[in-house]
Amino acid sequence: MQLLCGLATIFVLLAVLREQQVQAACGYANCPAGKANMINVHLVPHSHDDVGWLKTVDQYYYGARNDIQHAGVQYILDNVIRELLRDAKRRFIFVESAFFFKWYNEQTAEVKSQVKTLVKGGRLEFAGGAWSMNDEAAVHYQSVIDQFTIGLKALQQTFGACGRPHVGWQIDPFGHSREMASLFAQMGFDGQFFARMDWIEKTERLKNLTAEVIWKASEVLGQSAELFTGLLYRHYSAPPGFCFDALCSDAPIIDGVSYDNNVKERVDTFIKYIQEVTTHYRSTHVLIPMGDDFNYQIAAMNFKNMDKLIKYVNERQSLGSKVNLFYSTPACYLKAIHQAPLTWPSKAQDFFPYSTDWHTYWTGYYSSRPTQKRFERDGNHFLQVTKQLTTFANLTGNDVNSNLDALRHAMGVMQHHDAITGTEKQHVAADYDRLLAAAIESAQANARAALQKLTNLTNGEFVSCLQLNISVCEFTKNGADQLVVTLFNPLGRPSYEYVRVPVNNEAYIVTDETGRLLPSDLLPVPAEVQRLSFRPKIASHELVFLAYVEKLRSYYIKKSANPRSVEELKVETQMRSMNSIPKRFSEMHKKSAEENELKSIAIDSESRGEIIVKNSHVKLTLDSSGHLTKVEMNGVSENIRQEFYYYNAAAGNNAEFKNRSSGAYIFRPNGTELLIGRQVTFSIYEGTQVKEVHQRFSDWVSQVIRIYEGVNRVEFEWLVGPIPINDNIGKEVITRFTSNIKSAGVFYTDSNGREMLKRKRNQREYFKPNMTEAVSGNYYPITARIAIEGESNRIALLNDRAQGGSSLKDGALELMLHRRLLRDDAFGVGEALNETAYGEGVVARGKVYLILSNAEGTPSRYERLEQLQIHLPFWKFFSNATKATNKKVRQISSFNLPQTVHLLTLEPFNANERLVRLENFMDKYDANPVTFNLRPLFDQLSGEEIRETTLDGNLNLSEMIRFKFQPESSNVTKPEYYKTLHSPLLAKKKDSVSKFSIVLHQMQIRTFVIKWR
């Protein structure tokens, strides 16, 4: 028996050793070796598989609707795996985890085992590895991090370390952000490759051997955000004439005894092409992609011809050829140039805007499909809320995980570079909306279960209303009597926020959980919103009150039989006794009940002069035409005029550059902008907490300007549409703020919601642009904020979704709100961006926020705090108050993080693990590093152990080693590597509190996995 046990132990050890040997062969360990004194050509087979574009996600996967595009991803994977198994030298990279795992989960145990063998042998390699290949202009960094987390986690769980990608493969996004490079670096990637760059810059960089750079992707984070970045020579397709795919018509390699034998011609042509490519790069290694959109559906054709190409090109070496060709991957190419004694140029800014000729700037998609861009933000908001609620309630089980994953996956799809961009066909856009709506509904089950556990509403409905932007909530359609509004605060510290609830025109009382009365205002829903043809004729008003929430709190609303009741007159006394009200809100609570009545001011359009609307913090001046003309706040005053304009869209046949149309991708105005509404009709409503100016500029443009007591910002809630097209001209609608600030051609825009970049009108970092299109050529993606400043004053605009924007003149800022176009721009989508709903053009509603401040000091600090509040406000859940019980529940307290620290992530991770990300969201000009202790957070989450990881959460930070590339003028002696600059946190519950102390530097995100009991 002992002998048998001993033999069994030996067999197990041998199996483990064999597994370790296979593991060691993946990744860099299994890269093909090049030859010295040769041009080593890394042939990279790949297929670019859009997660929706001309067809829906499922239509692409299953190969449906081939009348639109012949594409079926399941067949690509079926055939590629079969061909890789035929020859161990073959390689293939795959990018989109959404497609891969849909396919992998359908496979037999035998096929799964074969795939694992291919991955462990480095023959099938993942690049990027996120749920989709995300856009880089319209995405918010929080959603990008999330979709990489789910993709890399799935790869890690399925394939172990061999499944982890080493490089980003962002080959199709329409321009590239600095923040994206920074995120790659923080996730531990060694480099990235892309294919799209401004046509002038690409020409210059190829000529100057600067197509591969060290991207210094953060002004603040230093080397921890540096990333090697390479531009592919000829887009991401195979060399001209060498597409061996079934979708192509290029000649195969004919090597038999045949009159058509073309080996010599094919080899001569290929070698000549390679010799040309090498003149534009610094290394003797070159990367040649072999693939294109949805290639390899009949993979045998591709691989058989590539096998021949490799064979016959390499045979030429006996005749003196210096070209050495082999199957490879982007990671293996990166390893090869990292080991070479080379230096590289640096890059500091981003690659926006992207242009392909002097009339074609890809800046329209920054704003295309504004309602979908907003819906994506709602999806992210609810995802963060649901992940946190699931964590706090300790919900576990397959259904819980499935509900969360449904929304995680849908949000991953929404980041795709033809989803969030709005560059898909209309039926695909509808499918994206369907996917996201269904996923939100799935996640709602988690939220409801968590709230029933965490509150005394054990049977509460906890309904989420997704049409609050037009003041519609099914739960309040019959009134708001006996209503509970449960608010969840996704931030990591207590917050104050004004809450708006759609109601009827009746008197209401608002109380908190203790029964304490709160002051409230009742304001009419704007007439233009009430008149929307598709809006139910309910909720003519909105009830507004100030809420204070640490993490979770409920407020109660009931009808008041007598609005002048004694109970309401107690409000003033009770509110004065509250000690927790910040000073900036104190003015509102000094108002008596008599002063709570809404004042409606009707202005005679003929006799009106200058109109003043103000509270204790903000003063607005409107002129006789009804336009805003002056703002006073934060101790400064500035003449600011706000107006709406539209650009007529260029319409051409796209046959030549000068006839390019404005379309889903391209913004190309035809002439100067046209003013909407010279004379504005408006009404003013003054409550004690909020003051509103309801403006009507035309039949299809209106707006509400709001100022809230105690809030240092001005809110502009715009309503645009249906955009008229009866003149057969497409239109692109903007709002513009004009001031006297001397901004000297400089403005600032955010990069995916994180760091700000300095822009200079008509200029670029590396090259002199062609500014034939002077408007669209100065547009940049605005994910969160755009600003200008002069010697004394600064204006910042914050938005609620991705938009295009610019400063086309000194002192002016503009944002594009909506687009309706009648021509396609001929970049593949094949449809005009003419969105309709309910039989007319789409109506969009959204918000822009203005902050005026002194340019000296740290104005950006306050802007960042407001930006965070706008991005992740309280989420509202609605229930019937009769569902309340006497159940005592534990109070969920906020983590009370320092003011400059953001709770970026809190979610269930692996079994009995939680993922936490903390971010110091200030830049180097706004604040200092923050030191604080994680032990309270650790204990509140029932922590047993904590470890620090890379940004994606799937690699222990102590194990992260990244390639370091040397800048020009360096003395390179041997390959160098980046490691983390601080000691990664690793602690257990038994350890002393001091071990949990951490430092967060400006713009730093630190990621932790907490094991909990």
Side-chain angles (χ1 to χ4, degrees), residues 851-899:
I851 298 175
L852 171 67
S853 55
N854 194 310
E856 298 180 359
T858 57
S860 182
R861 177 188 174 98
Y862 181 75
E863 293 166 12
R864 287 184 180 278
L865 290 168
E866 292 298 291
Q867 177 182 320
L868 199 56
Q869 193 83 37
I870 290 165
H871 182 62
L872 292 174
F874 300 160
W875 188 273
K876 305 179 190 75
F877 295 95
F878 298 90
S879 301
N880 192 312
T882 60
K883 302 293 179 71
T885 68
N886 293 323
K887 171 189 171 185
K888 293 193 175 182
V889 294
R890 66 181 178 89
Q891 184 72 21
I892 301 178
S893 63
S894 167
F895 294 129
N896 279 310
L897 298 171
Q899 188 186 41

Side-chain angles (χ1 to χ4, degrees), residues 435-498:
L435 285 171
L436 185 52
I440 290 174
E441 184 61 33
S442 293
Q444 176 71 37
N446 276 25
R448 185 179 301 110
L451 290 166
Q452 289 174 348
K453 188 175 179 180
L454 296 170
T455 71
N456 68 342
L457 295 162
T458 54
N459 293 307
E461 297 89 344
F462 297 109
V463 170
S464 294
C465 295
L466 299 181
Q467 291 184 297
L468 292 175
N469 66 321
I470 56 170
S471 306
V472 168
C473 178
E474 278 293 307
F475 204 82
T476 67
K477 66 180 181 180
N478 296 320
D481 197 21
Q482 300 298 323
L483 178 71
V484 185
V485 183
T486 301
L487 304 174
F488 184 80
N489 176 12
L491 302 180
R493 60 186 177 279
S495 299
Y496 282 89
E497 187 180 310
Y498 283 96

Side-chain angles (χ1 to χ4, degrees), residues 800-857:
D800 67 347
R801 71 200 71 193
Q803 295 168 322
S806 187
S807 174
L808 298 177
K809 296 179 181 179
D810 283 2
L813 288 172
E814 69 181 59
L815 291 169
M816 184 174 289
L817 307 179
H818 200 353
R819 323 176 68 216
R820 189 180 185 189
L821 307 171
L822 304 180
R823 300 287 188 277
D824 178 40
D825 52 21
F827 282 102
V829 74
E831 288 181 356
L833 186 68
N834 184 11
E835 291 186 279
T836 59
Y838 308 101
E840 57 186 7
V842 161
V843 178
R845 196 178 195 209
K847 295 179 180 179
V848 174
Y849 305 84
L850 180 145
I851 298 175
L852 171 67
S853 55
N854 194 310
E856 298 180 359

Side-chain angles (χ1 to χ4, degrees), residues 189-200:
F189 281 62
D190 291 312
Q192 71 159 333
F193 297 91
F194 60 71
R196 296 185 185 272
M197 184 184 289
D198 183 283
W199 64 288
I200 297 177

Side-chain angles (χ1 to χ4, degrees), residues 127-201:
W131 209 243
S132 66
M133 184 185 294
N134 61 261
D135 170 57
E136 299 188 30
V139 292
H140 190 276
Y141 73 97
Q142 186 171 47
S143 295
V144 173
I145 294 170
D146 276 353
Q147 75 120 4
F148 269 90
T149 299
I150 58 171
L152 299 187
K153 178 184 173 184
L155 292 171
Q156 175 79 22
Q157 290 178 331
T158 307
F159 302 111
C162 288
R164 185 173 180 83
H166 295 285
V167 300
W169 187 250
Q170 291 289 103
I171 56 173
D172 201 29
F174 326 122
H176 300 276
S177 74
R178 191 174 75 178
E179 188 58 38
M180 188 69 228
S182 176
L183 297 179
F184 272 130
Q186 294 175 65
M187 287 187 287
F189 281 62
D190 291 312
Q192 71 159 333
F193 297 91
F194 60 71
R196 296 185 185 272
M197 184 184 289
D198 183 283
W199 64 288
I200 297 177
E201 182 170 10

Side-chain angles (χ1 to χ4, degrees), residues 25-53:
C26 69
Y28 293 129
N30 198 37
C31 286
K35 292 184 178 181
N37 302 315
M38 288 273 185
I39 299 172
N40 290 289
V41 181
H42 295 250
L43 217 58
V44 178
H46 77 100
S47 179
H48 175 57
D49 302 331
D50 289 306
V51 186
W53 178 38

